[in-house]
Amino acid sequence: MSRDAGVSGGLGPGAGGCGWGPGVVRRRRRRWVRYGVGAVALLVVASGVAGWVLYAKLDGNITPDEAAAAELGRYAKERPTALVKDARNILLIGSDSRSGSGNREYGRDSGTERSDTTILLHLAAGRRSATAVSIPRDLMVDVPSCRRSDGTRTEPMFAMFNYAFQAGGSACTIRTVEKLTGIRVDHHVVVDFSGFKEMVDAVDGVEVCLKEPIRDKAAKLRLPAGRVRLNGEQALGYVRARKTLGNGSDTDRMDRQQRFLGALFTKMQSNDVLLNPVKLYPVLDAATSSLTTDPDLASLRGLYALVRGLRDIPTERVQFLTVPRESYVYNANRDQLVEPEAEKLFELLRTDRPVTVAPEGPSNSGSAQSTDHEPYGSSPSPVPTFRGNTAAEDTCA
């Protein structure tokens, strides 16, 4: 074989002497594909780890109310039975505790706490509507014997409603509400001052309408009339102020709280907070950091299931009202239920039938034709109309 032939054979196609042969190109292409797949895999793993870390953080923020669960378990046989499978009743308790970070500035911590605000939230089956019923803290009710934090028990007592939380915490409040209404409380949520502020700040404030300027030194409020966006600190003062806003009554204060919650709900829906993970995360972080809930809700999975049911409820079907009540016959500074109107309301909630509210209707009675869907397939029938409002109402209109 000639030298030329040997050289030619050594550098033929596919030989290793050329750096750009097709075989080398294929090998380099495979190498880059492996590198690309590896990089994508690393990103997926990193994203998964980051997501798990965020989930674990939020999940660990929530405090499960194990003590309340144990206490309620002791009285399981005497508690009301849930009548409609998919309906849910959640008791929202605003604690006036001064203990803990962010709460001391609102007063001295006396070691006790009362329910500053209590709302029974009824979510209809199929999540076709939500009805939030405020229970006045000065309402005179039967408070059962409850377990104190030190293990001793209180005597049954006829007292103001907010005494129940002071006497036996959330379990005592739940048992008092169930005794008063005959409604089974499925879940409960306790939030303090700091948590409320953080939630408002997390949605970048909430807009309200003020008919006149507010100058309230005690509530640290100095606001102009008209549309005003409240930050967390201002919102807390606005919903808690009692003596210098409106007529100074607890009725006026609860009306303000209800309208503010309606505005908060509308803000979260209109800004797609409930559908946007980037916007939802700070809200969940703020909320979960200050919540104490029943064990079934004390996880992101439980809270998400609850929030998911609220996403598609039209704002006109998110209703707010206060239990029908009047001045207590023996003390004008206390309240008592107005009957039979109060029992009519409780019966509607127990059986998951529509509740109709009107801003300027009869105070606690009267009738109106229901346009909502009846849960048992029956035809719509006249139902009582209660004084209240919906999240769809514009307070400046």
Side-chain angles (χ1 to χ4, degrees):
M1 183 179 293
S2 67
R3 179 182 298 178
D4 291 340
V7 172
S8 175
L11 299 177
C18 177
W20 297 100
V24 174
V25 171
R26 283 195 296 272
R27 286 195 297 274
R28 291 187 175 181
R29 184 180 297 140
R30 286 195 296 269
R31 188 180 301 130
W32 280 110
V33 169
R34 287 197 299 272
Y35 290 160
V37 170
V40 171
L42 284 174
L43 286 174
V44 171
V45 171
S47 299
V49 170
W52 181 86
V53 169
L54 293 177
Y55 180 93
K57 179 182 183 299
L58 293 177
D59 204 51
N61 282 349
I62 310 169
T63 302
D65 200 346
E66 301 288 358
E71 177 71 358
L72 292 173
R74 296 186 183 98
Y75 296 91
K77 292 183 179 180
E78 72 176 38
R79 298 184 66 193
T81 301
L83 300 181
V84 181
K85 183 179 180 181
D86 188 41
R88 291 291 181 271
N89 296 297
I90 301 100
L91 195 65
L92 309 175
I93 304 172
S95 167
D96 70 354
S97 172
R98 268 66 171 182
S99 64
S101 176
N103 293 317
R104 294 187 182 90
E105 60 188 281
Y106 301 104
R108 183 177 62 84
D109 178 18
S110 63
T112 63
E113 54 184 338
R114 296 198 181 192
S115 50
D116 194 61
T117 299
T118 304
I119 295 174
L120 181 62
L121 175 63
H122 175 78
L123 302 181
R127 302 302 176 262
R128 65 184 184 275
S129 66
T131 303
V133 181
S134 295
I135 302 176
R137 59 185 184 180
D138 295 339
L139 185 69
M140 299 301 294
V141 298
D142 288 310
V143 179
S145 171
C146 295
R147 185 181 184 276
R148 297 188 183 96
S149 58
D150 62 4
T152 61
R153 302 199 69 85
T154 64
E155 293 294 327
M157 184 180 298
F158 186 66
M160 290 192 302
F161 173 73
N162 67 347
Y163 167 74
F165 194 71
Q166 179 188 17
S170 51
C172 190
T173 301
I174 291 168
R175 292 179 59 216
T176 301
V177 169
E178 290 184 339
K179 186 177 181 67
L180 177 73
T181 66
I183 297 169
R184 173 77 176 216
V185 174
D186 302 293
H187 301 292
H188 70 276
V189 177
V190 182
V191 61
D192 60 20
F193 294 157
S194 179
F196 176 83
K197 292 192 304 181
E198 290 173 2
M199 278 197 64
V200 174
D201 286 333
V203 296
D204 194 27
V206 174
E207 188 178 82
V208 298
C209 189
L210 305 178
K211 294 181 179 179
E212 54 187 33
I214 295 178
R215 302 288 185 271
D216 190 317
K217 186 175 181 180
K220 301 179 181 179
L221 287 179
R222 188 178 181 86
L223 302 169
R227 292 187 183 275
V228 180
R229 179 182 293 182
L230 304 180
N231 61 28
E233 187 70 40
Q234 293 168 327
L236 181 63
Y238 178 71
V239 299
R240 294 192 68 239
R242 188 173 182 176
K243 296 181 179 179
T244 59
L245 272 67
N247 58 17
S249 68
D250 203 36
T251 298
D252 189 76
R253 188 178 74 110
M254 285 187 292
D255 285 348
R256 254 183 291 120
Q257 292 172 350
Q258 293 167 4
R259 292 187 182 280
F260 182 86
L261 290 175
L264 175 61
F265 180 84
T266 302
K267 174 71 176 286
M268 295 182 72
Q269 273 203 340
S270 63
N271 282 19
D272 291 329
V273 172
L274 300 179
L275 298 174
N276 188 330
V278 176
K279 295 180 180 180
L280 184 59
Y281 176 81
V283 177
L284 287 176
D285 190 31
T288 55
S289 297
S290 56
L291 293 186
T292 299
T293 76
D294 59 279
D296 288 342
L297 271 188
S299 68
L300 274 188
R301 184 186 299 274
L303 281 178
Y304 178 73
L306 180 64
V307 171
R308 183 177 56 190
L310 298 174
R311 295 187 307 191
D312 300 323
I313 300 177
T315 53
E316 63 270 18
R317 292 193 179 184
V318 177
Q319 304 177 122
F320 300 88
L321 68 153
T322 301
V323 294
R325 90 275 190 230
E326 61 190 0
S327 294
Y328 180 46
V329 64
Y330 297 114
N331 187 339
N333 294 319
R334 305 289 181 260
D335 291 326
Q336 64 184 23
L337 293 179
V338 172
E339 298 293 4
E341 286 80 2
E343 178 52 34
K344 289 179 181 178
L345 172 62
F346 300 151
E347 175 67 14
L348 292 173
L349 297 175
R350 278 195 299 267
T351 55
D352 196 35
R353 286 182 289 166
V355 174
T356 301
V357 301
E360 297 299 337
S363 59
N364 289 303
S365 60
S367 62
Q369 186 72 23
S370 169
T371 58
D372 206 346
H373 173 69
E374 291 282 353
Y376 303 111
S378 59
S379 59
S381 58
V383 296
T385 299
F386 300 91
R387 180 180 176 276
N389 60 84
T390 73
E393 294 177 22
D394 186 349
T395 57
C396 280

